[in-house]
């Protein structure tokens, strides 16, 4: 019933993947220097046999027995997502509220039947894509008066059902993981071209439900713009929007479901807009000695209409942490790509703009199609892809490493940035009793503002990691909201961001969303506690 | 209380604007040839003094007396929009259900007070921007158990309140007309760059409420993408979304109000994304002898990532009607523009693609920045801007001239096109007893499909214009929906498209929207009959 490769229940990726010995050694040495710690007392990762779970409170009916499981490891995998507190709880062998059942529907009828069953027994249903949530979006520890909790794992809905190469679109099942999706499109030389950091371990349905952001800096990077239509199983029936390139007929039905985080229905399929695979590329990295000059250069490039595929600004602190620099300069990773025409002139114009703000670059990297995989860009890219695997090493060592992100208009960015850096540094010092580190990069940029992404590390007290993390998270989130930002640009709301979401979303809109939810999910069985209260 | 210039209550634009004598003569000659009519029996436009309106059923309270009017011409202006049936009814001096009052709030408090008053006396409120609706969106003839109807004209909310030139955004009052808006942005060399055909006679709030489409063919042409945040007065309170360049926090609150057509609240302000005024331009027009080759060329260009600002394909029939061609070739108007860099290479690449599909163009027009205002493009552009003024001439003559529009994915376009042309020609013949004409152009193109726009003319029986129009409209709309299209790409739903909207929007979504409406407008006083039933 399960695929041969299993996801870890305590960390990122499959059980056969982890940080290498070299990487572990480098992490130990780096954080030894940071915190003046000479020896790390490392906790070993949990194994399923150590953990005894609460007995399932509900039992699958005979008709669903074939797709439901109460196997311990299966339930463990579906307890948590992949956030820092998830990792801390996993390493503490703390799994007090597992799902009673894990259902892996093979088709849409199975999804309907699981919802019917849950409705009948008053069980909550937590839709689960790849489980890569870092905001408590798939957590099964919920409040409310439910007789049980079912984690609804969509990964068997993994097929591309139809490709329309005239319109460059495909009808795709929602449970497909990134690599499976791309491999099914490849024979047609088409691509969804949506590569979030979690690409290998997250699903199309998860991307749509959480308004995922791809790794491209500008244009067609948010999943929102790639959705042509969606098909959703709600507790009151199936809803399929019409496949259209554009429409002005009332508020967009798609946009109600995009970002609904499993609270309004279970996305089972979507028609997605595809692109031809790029074959023209130009890339380089630009160094800036002043942060303000660097952000102004990025602002000018983002307003130029050049549409770089990558325009990621990495501050000197983050460059150092990731090995992309030695800490004295800020690095702008700049790339262009096209499936139709050369992009060298666009890179040249972007560099001209960067130069006006004091940016410097190596002329000999220009024109190398693989520039984004070599040099500073390459080092940063490697760290970016490997970073999620480091969490299980760092949590084992006792190091807190976490990230949070936002978006803000340019006029308020400098204040927000300073505020967040200062607040987070201060709260880390106050809570943990020693200095930590906070760094920033831009993951996406818009003509009207950047999406700044903050990474921090700290050394919490052993046994108090969760409380100390919570204090830091609260202070940083309060500061984000006070400075006018969004509580999330692409990580989603989940359960962790809920208090700040409630401050961000206008009251009238929240009332309307509650009413919409009540009409689609009258018994509030879907993902209780996320976005709206049951 | 009213501005010096008044809108016509029987046609397009201000009372001091109309078709010239030359234009009238050309129209008479053209349609004489079309219908073999030698002499037109023309009805004169109505004047306010001819019309006696029903007495107002409600009276403004003293506190609102200064902003409310029951003046006859004021009430006439707010009876109808600018559609063909609106024009027929106006020329028939048929105004049986005028608004009882017209309110022109001077500020947001006034809007709140009008809603409170309406709520108290159980009056319906019809938000009115420029009144350019061609779908019955501002019509005051409504069904339901209301004691009166108030047309809420927002045109006094006409100021740009704040410009943030760092983020290129501005906070703008919703009642501002296009030219007033642009003139307030011009000192900062910024532009909203949103130019629907109705630009001079429609408002920002109207554009947002109806998901207006600008005249650019690709990218940043739909108002949806230009909205950074909105402020809306609902009967249950004021809702302001957060100003953000992007966000992943739940379903987009903005997108619930964008396209809500005055049914969820009254938009009073919005932060809008601006652009620098373009200074680099390249344009030309390309002729195709085969329609299929032309549409394939447009498909290839729309999928190239070149992002033309104009990519309007005009079929031979429409080229002839508008004087842009002699009827043997289809014309593609192609233009590029940028505020940052030359665009000649993009035009060159687009022409290369057009050439692969048999397109032909005059080499000597290349490089002329004003190419879009001269030659075939110029002729078509002139007809496009003047066409709305022709309706009052044609209606007076007894000619039915109307348009409808949709969007469809490329794979289904050819079938939809053939179907619509055949269906509309046939129904015109059946209903009016003689041949009419149906032509097509693309107003917008997306990588996954075009937005085809159909124009038709017919000679209905005098006195039966409304019934005959309704039969034609129904047949064409049925065909659009059956072929998989949207009932509207940018004209909105209003009252005229409601039956087909109900077939297009999924039932679950409509239930959710009804629930949202009930939470924001519990007494259903806002624009009854549009999108959802009271």
């Amino acid at each position: 019933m399960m695929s041969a490769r299993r996801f870890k229940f305590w960390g990122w990726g499959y059980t056969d993947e982890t940080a290498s010995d070299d990487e572990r050694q480098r992490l130990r040495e780096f954080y030894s220097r940071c915190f003046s710690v000479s020896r790390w007392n490392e906790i070993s990762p949990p194994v399923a046999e150590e953990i005894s779970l609460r007995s399932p409170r509900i039992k699958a009916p005979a008709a669903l027995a074939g797709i439901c499981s109460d196997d311990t490891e299966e339930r463990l995998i579906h307890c948590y997502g992949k956030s820092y507190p998830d990792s801390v709880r996993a390493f503490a062998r703390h799994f007090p509220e597992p799902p009673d059942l894990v259902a892996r529907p093979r088709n849409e009828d199975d999804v309907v039947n699981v919802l019917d069953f849950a409705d009948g027994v008053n069980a909550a249903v937590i839709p689960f894509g790849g489980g890569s949530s870092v905001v408590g979006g798939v957590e099964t520890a919920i409040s409310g008066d439910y007789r049980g909790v079912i984690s609804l794992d969509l990964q068997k809905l993994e097929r591309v059902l139809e490709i329309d190469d005239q319109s460059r679109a495909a009808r795709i099942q929602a449970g497909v993981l990134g690599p499976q999706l791309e491999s099914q499109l490849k024979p047609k030389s088409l691509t969804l071209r949506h590569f979030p950091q979690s690409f290998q371990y997250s699903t199309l349905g998860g991307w749509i439900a959480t308004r995922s952001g791809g790794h491209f800096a500008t244009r067609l990077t948010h999943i929102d713009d790639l959705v042509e239509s969606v098909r959703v199983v709600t507790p009151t029936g199936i809803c399929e929007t019409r496949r259209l390139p554009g429409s002005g007929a009332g508020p967009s039905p798609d946009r109600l479901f995009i970002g609904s985080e499993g609270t309004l229905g279970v996305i089972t399929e979507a028609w997605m807009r595809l692109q031809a695979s790029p074959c023209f590329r130009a890339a380089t990295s630009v160094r800036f000695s002043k942060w303000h000059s660097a952000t102004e250069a990025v602002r000018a490039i983002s307003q130029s209409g050049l549409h770089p595929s990558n325009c990621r600004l990495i501050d000197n602190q983050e460059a150092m942490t990731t090995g992309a620099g030695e800490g004295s300069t800020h690095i702008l990773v700049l790339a262009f790509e096209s499936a139709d025409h050369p992009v060298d002139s666009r890179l040249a114009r972007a560099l001209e703009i960067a130069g006006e703000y004091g940016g410097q670059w190596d002329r000999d990297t220009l024109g190398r199609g693989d520039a984004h995989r070599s040099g500073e860009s390459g080092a940063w890219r490697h760290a970016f892809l490997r970073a999620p695997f480091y969490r299980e090493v760092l949590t084992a060592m006792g190091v807190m490493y976490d990230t949070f992100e936002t978006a803000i208009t340019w006029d308020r960015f400098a204040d927000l940035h300073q505020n967040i850096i200062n607040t987070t540094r201060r709260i880390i010092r106050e809570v943990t009793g020693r200095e930590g580190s906070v760094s920033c990069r831009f993951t996406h940029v818009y003509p009207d503002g950047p999406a700044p992404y903050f990474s921090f590390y700290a050394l919490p007290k052993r046994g108090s990691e969760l409380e100390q993390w919570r204090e830091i998270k609260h202070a940083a989130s309060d500061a984000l909201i006070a400075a006018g930002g969004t509580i999330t640009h692409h990580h989603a709301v989940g359960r962790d961001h809920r208090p700040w979401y409630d401050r961000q979303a206008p009251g009238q809109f929240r009332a309307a969303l509650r009413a919409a939810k009540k009409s689609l999910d009258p018994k509030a069985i879907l993902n209780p506690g996320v976005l709206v209260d049951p």
Side-chain angles (χ1 to χ4, degrees), chain A:
Chain A
M1 204 190 91
M2 297 185 47
S3 57
R5 266 180 118 188
R6 279 199 169 195
F7 280 137
K8 279 175 216 164
F9 67 85
W10 67 92
W12 193 247
Y14 295 99
T15 50
D16 57 23
E17 299 174 303
T18 186
S20 68
D21 288 344
D22 271 5
E23 286 174 322
R24 284 167 191 273
Q25 195 49 37
R26 275 205 304 278
L27 289 170
R28 285 187 198 105
E29 287 166 12
F30 180 86
Y31 287 101
S32 288
R33 285 197 303 276
C34 294
F35 296 120
S36 309
V37 169
S38 53
R39 206 176 167 285
W40 296 100
N41 176 17
E42 295 177 39
I43 305 169
S44 61
V47 289
E49 291 68 27
E50 296 175 279
I51 298 154
S52 107
L53 294 179
R54 168 174 79 183
S55 299
R57 297 165 299 175
I58 51 174
K59 196 176 164 342
L64 295 176
I67 61 160
C68 288
S69 167
D70 60 5
D71 167 74
T72 297
E73 190 167 343
E74 184 74 333
R75 291 169 72 200
L76 285 170
I77 292 170
H78 294 85
C79 275
Y80 297 132
K82 304 299 179 193
S83 69
Y84 173 73
D86 293 342
S87 163
V88 168
R89 290 182 292 180
F91 272 78
R93 283 70 173 158
H94 185 73
F95 295 92
E97 300 187 65
D100 297 284
L101 294 172
V102 175
R104 290 188 181 251
R106 299 153 305 187
N107 52 49
E108 193 177 82
D109 283 349
D110 284 347
V111 174
V112 171
N113 293 335
V114 170
L115 293 198
D116 283 350
F117 163 62
D119 188 86
V121 300
N122 190 31
V125 175
I126 317 289
F128 185 102
S132 66
S133 171
V134 289
V135 294
V138 295
E139 176 155 347
T140 50
I142 56 167
S143 58
D145 191 22
Y146 297 96
R147 283 195 41 221
V149 177
I150 302 168
S151 182
L152 184 67
D153 184 317
L154 280 304
Q155 285 176 48
K156 284 196 187 292
L157 303 183
E158 64 187 5
R159 286 189 307 133
V160 172
L161 299 169
E162 209 173 327
I163 297 180
D164 165 8
D165 48 12
Q166 276 191 281
S167 316
R168 294 197 180 160
R171 185 160 69 93
I172 308 171
Q173 289 188 304
V176 68
L177 295 164
Q180 297 171 328
L181 165 54
E182 288 294 332
S183 72
Q184 292 174 78
L185 299 177
K186 203 167 182 183
K188 295 271 191 183
S189 299
L190 291 169
T191 171
L192 181 62
R193 208 168 162 270
H194 182 73
F195 304 111
Q197 191 176 18
S198 62
F199 175 70
Q200 294 181 275
Y201 315 103
S202 55
T203 63
L204 175 65
W207 302 338
I208 297 172
T210 60
R211 297 180 71 185
S212 161
H215 81 192
F216 297 109
T218 68
R219 291 203 68 245
L220 299 187
T221 186
H222 260 283
I223 202 76
D224 311 41
D225 295 318
L226 307 179
V227 174
E228 197 179 68
S229 80
V230 287
R231 190 172 160 98
V232 184
V233 176
T234 81
T236 59
I238 293 174
C239 177
E240 183 171 358
T241 66
R242 196 165 270 233
R243 224 194 124 192
L244 295 168
S247 178
S252 164
D254 295 328
R255 299 278 179 164
L256 179 66
F257 293 106
I258 296 173
S260 60
E261 302 195 14
T263 63
L264 302 181
V266 179
I267 299 163
T268 53
E269 282 179 19
W271 272 97
M272 300 300 296
R273 299 182 175 125
L274 308 176
Q275 296 168 66
S277 303
C279 50
F280 298 95
R281 284 196 176 80
T284 193
S285 52
V286 184
R287 293 179 299 278
F288 291 88
S289 55
K290 289 188 187 143
W291 175 247
H292 181 69
S293 306
T295 63
E296 282 294 286
V298 171
R299 179 166 78 88
I301 293 168
S302 75
Q303 294 176 344
S304 67
L306 291 165
H307 308 307
S309 56
N310 208 335
C311 186
R312 205 180 283 266
L313 179 63
I314 302 156
D315 77 6
N316 58 336
Q317 178 66 39
E318 179 145 336
M320 192 172 62
T321 312
T322 56
E326 42 16 274
S328 67
T329 55
H330 314 289
I331 297 169
L332 174 61
V333 180
L334 208 48
F336 292 84
E337 56 183 55
S338 168
D340 180 76
H341 44 267
V343 290
D344 310 84
S345 64
R346 278 155 65 199
L347 176 59
R349 173 64 190 136
L351 288 174
E352 203 171 281
I353 295 172
E356 285 166 22
Y357 292 90
Q360 299 199 300
W361 62 93
D362 298 331
R363 301 205 172 265
D364 59 1
T365 63
L366 294 181
R368 282 180 51 185
D370 67 342
H372 63 300
R373 293 178 192 251
S374 60
E376 290 145 343
S377 307
W380 186 84
R381 186 174 183 274
H382 179 78
F384 171 74
L385 293 173
R386 297 297 298 165
F389 290 106
Y390 298 168
R391 174 163 280 145
E392 67 197 68
V393 182
L394 299 178
T395 300
M397 287 160 58
V399 171
M400 180 191 298
Y401 182 89
D402 200 9
T403 64
F404 57 91
E405 32 87 73
T406 189
I408 186 80
T409 49
W410 288 110
D411 61 320
R412 295 172 297 170
F413 166 69
D415 284 349
L416 176 140
H417 176 259
Q418 191 170 20
N419 209 320
I420 292 297
I421 297 278
N422 292 347
T423 300
T424 314
R425 281 208 185 119
R426 196 197 64 236
I427 190 78
I428 289 173
R429 200 183 313 122
E430 284 175 15
V431 168
T432 68
R434 64 172 105 193
E435 294 296 327
S437 166
V438 191
S439 62
C440 179
R441 66 176 189 259
F442 289 169
T443 56
H444 304 79
V445 291
Y446 303 86
D448 55 339
Y453 192 100
F454 297 91
S455 303
F456 68 89
Y457 54 80
L459 193 64
K461 188 171 167 230
R462 273 287 190 194
S464 302
E465 288 95 339
L466 286 180
E467 299 88 290
Q468 296 198 341
W469 173 81
R470 210 166 284 127
E471 284 191 66
I472 295 166
K473 178 79 178 171
H474 279 227
S477 300
D478 283 349
L480 278 185
I481 290 296
T486 171
I487 191 59
T488 177
H489 173 266
H490 59 271
H491 280 175
V493 176
R495 290 171 179 82
D496 295 356
H497 287 151
R498 179 66 198 283
W500 298 277
Y501 172 71
D502 286 356
R503 281 156 64 186
Q504 171 178 341
Q508 308 300 318
F509 175 74
R510 286 169 50 225
L513 187 61
R514 273 196 303 274
K517 158 108 178 158
K518 204 169 164 64
S519 87
L520 297 176
D521 179 22
K523 289 195 183 171
I525 61 172
L526 285 173
N527 223 1
V530 169
L531 298 182
V532 291
D533 287 324

